[in-house]
Amino acid sequence: QVQLVQSGAEVKKPGASVKVSCKASGYTFTSYGISWVRQAPGQGLEWMGWISAYNGNTNYAQKLQGRVTMTTDTSTSTAYMELRSLRSDDTAVYYCARWNEVVAAIFDYWGQGTLVTVSS
Amino acid sequence: EIVLTQSPGTLSLSPGERATLSCRASQSVSSSYLAWYQQKPGQAPRLLIYGASSRATGIPDRFSGSGSGTDFTLTISRLEPEDFAVYYCQQYALFGQGTKLEIK
């Protein structure tokens, strides 16, 4: 069965960086992209960007350009999301999700989420 | 830029009732790329409907989706206690703001 397992919660100070991992299993990793979606406390879902696990191509949300980097390690079927220059409004649960364009441009499987808290 | 607007913001119903949730796009979108998700507190979102009307694997048939152009609807025919959650529509990288379905 498809599973995405994310790394644990993080507490960071403003200005620091965080790197969240997402280990995939149960499918051919390079056949699908991985998207990252975040959710601030009590708020809705915000798409952060996408990476092709096939060739590493990326597409980032405009508001995060310059602060976010998404990468993959195909040898371990793991995706990573690094966010730099953290601010208090980056406090959120960060989700990875499999991006399925084969069916209909959907996030068909999700990780369990990683809480990132930014606080001085 | 397309905006997805969901209504109502909160819907209060009782188990056994029918729920109708709306998602309106600011301009016409392809129904092939309109999806719905359910999110319960403390959990990741779960895919319910894709292509506006196709149920995802394992989704009960009390959930149905319809619509085209700018207006899309998620219908839950007879609410079960586990259906009370927040529902989001999605089109590519865009999400609606969500509808909270709460127990009346």
Side-chain angles (χ1 to χ4, degrees):
Chain A
Q1 73 283 21
V2 174
Q3 280 194 303
L4 299 173
V5 178
Q6 298 183 223
S7 50
E10 304 262 13
V11 179
K12 296 291 183 180
K13 294 192 182 303
S17 299
V18 69
K19 191 170 186 177
V20 180
S21 67
C22 170
K23 183 171 177 59
S25 62
Y27 72 97
T28 301
F29 183 64
T30 52
S31 294
Y32 297 85
I34 293 287
S35 280
W36 290 87
V37 176
R38 69 179 180 178
Q39 186 171 38
Q43 302 302 308
L45 303 171
E46 178 188 14
W47 179 81
M48 300 178 65
W50 162 90
I51 182 167
S52 165
Y54 174 71
N55 58 17
N57 286 350
T58 55
N59 183 17
Y60 301 139
Q62 190 170 6
K63 69 177 287 188
L64 296 174
Q65 288 273 1
R67 287 207 301 138
V68 68
T69 301
M70 297 176 187
T71 57
T72 60
D73 181 345
T74 56
S75 69
T76 59
S77 298
T78 302
Y80 298 91
M81 185 284 299
E82 181 180 32
L83 188 61
R84 300 175 293 279
S85 302
L86 288 168
R87 308 187 291 244
S88 58
D89 62 356
D90 291 318
T91 294
V93 176
Y94 289 75
Y95 295 103
C96 62
R98 191 176 81 166
W99 175 245
N100 189 338
E101 283 188 294
V102 173
V103 175
I106 53 177
F107 308 99
D108 59 354
Y109 292 92
W110 295 66
Q112 82 277 17
T114 296
L115 175 62
V116 175
T117 303
V118 183
S119 174
S120 55
Chain B
E1 180 184 313
I2 297 174
V3 176
L4 300 178
T5 302
Q6 293 185 238
S7 61
T10 301
L11 184 57
S12 299
L13 294 170
S14 300
E17 292 192 292
R18 180 185 185 91
T20 302
L21 288 67
S22 172
C23 176
R24 177 163 291 178
S26 57
Q27 60 190 78
S28 184
V29 301
S30 170
S31 60
S32 297
Y33 301 112
L34 195 287
W36 291 91
Y37 300 80
Q38 176 194 67
Q39 187 179 33
K40 297 180 181 179
Q43 296 185 17
R46 176 174 73 146
L47 176 67
L48 295 177
I49 300 287
Y50 63 92
S53 60
S54 298
R55 277 186 299 277
T57 303
I59 301 303
D61 60 8
R62 64 180 181 273
F63 290 91
S64 63
S66 63
S68 64
T70 59
D71 291 301
F72 298 88
T73 301
L74 174 69
T75 302
I76 311 171
S77 60
R78 194 175 60 255
L79 285 165
E80 298 285 344
E82 62 268 26
D83 298 336
F84 292 91
V86 179
Y87 292 83
Y88 295 94
C89 59
Q90 171 251 334
Q91 202 256 347
Y92 283 108
L94 298 173
F95 290 95
Q97 83 279 18
T99 289
K100 181 179 181 181
L101 179 55
E102 65 176 23
I103 298 177
K104 187 174 182 179

